[in-house]
Amino acid sequence: LAHGQKPQILLITCADSRIDPNLITASQPGDLFVMRNVANIVPQFNSNAPSEAAAVIEYAVSVLGVADVIVMGHSDCGGMKGVLHPDKLSTLPAVSDWLNHATTAAPATAACCSSCEEAQRLAETTNNNILLQLKNLATHPSVAAAMANGKLHIHGWNYQIENGSISYFDQDRKRWCQL
């Protein structure tokens, strides 16, 4: 590790203190390139508004040559609770502004889960947010080019804090499955 890094995976996950990427993936130092932020958000690429996320993604894909990018959300996410209840963010303007990158996850949940209990709505919103962030990830030029060349694959995971299980979005079957 003293001579460089060659991670194969960029893991984009939440800043929640209960999430430990190396523990969850049973990986060692140097195996993962990690980007963490509130609600595992990947803003759409915008050449007129450079962001830390865009820089991390571009570096991981273009310089480090990662083969996979995983966007991993988790159960009991405070960011997703904020998306479902934006009125509770009135004293947190920076958080509220950041979560604007995830607001379309809530209407997707309402469309399929309008009569669900709160816990199910939160779980659905978390899954919808992961899928939204995968779409946003694909707008980044380095990601789009590497995917087109077959050099990069993107994945959506949802980590369950309460039992340590992981579900993933199967892009071929268009549904969530247990890992």
Side-chain angles (χ1 to χ4, degrees):
L1 292 177
H3 302 287
Q5 62 176 325
K6 189 65 178 143
Q8 293 300 301
I9 298 169
L10 166 59
L11 180 65
I12 301 169
T13 193
C14 188
D16 189 301
S17 64
R18 300 169 291 177
I19 305 303
D20 184 333
N22 291 103
L23 182 65
I24 291 167
T25 61
S27 58
Q28 298 297 313
D31 291 345
L32 302 174
F33 198 67
V34 178
M35 180 177 86
R36 296 179 70 153
N37 63 52
V38 172
N40 46 274
I41 287 176
V42 178
Q44 286 186 349
F45 181 77
N46 181 345
S47 60
N48 295 321
S51 69
E52 177 186 13
V56 169
I57 292 163
E58 182 178 74
Y59 188 81
V61 174
S62 299
V63 176
L64 298 176
V66 298
D68 294 280
V69 178
I70 300 168
V71 175
M72 185 175 75
H74 65 91
S75 60
D76 196 42
C77 181
M80 292 301 93
K81 290 176 182 177
V83 167
L84 284 173
H85 303 286
D87 52 303
K88 294 183 179 181
L89 299 173
S90 62
T91 61
L92 302 169
V95 173
S96 181
D97 188 47
W98 178 248
L99 290 177
N100 281 332
H101 296 291
T103 54
T104 60
T109 298
C112 70
C113 200
S114 60
S115 61
C116 296
E117 293 185 20
E118 183 68 14
Q120 184 62 31
R121 287 180 58 230
L122 180 59
E124 288 295 325
T125 301
T126 300
N127 283 342
N128 289 331
N129 181 57
I130 294 165
L131 298 178
L132 172 62
Q133 302 316 318
L134 289 174
K135 287 179 187 174
N136 290 348
L137 179 62
T139 68
H140 290 255
S142 58
V143 171
M147 287 176 63
N149 291 331
K151 294 181 179 181
L152 181 70
H153 302 280
I154 62 175
H155 314 274
W157 286 10
N158 188 340
Y159 174 68
Q160 301 304 302
I161 292 172
E162 53 279 358
N163 61 22
S165 68
I166 297 174
S167 58
Y168 69 96
F169 188 73
D170 184 318
Q171 295 185 17
D172 294 328
R173 296 189 288 179
K174 304 291 184 222
R175 66 184 184 102
W176 289 90
C177 305
Q178 284 300 117
L179 194 59

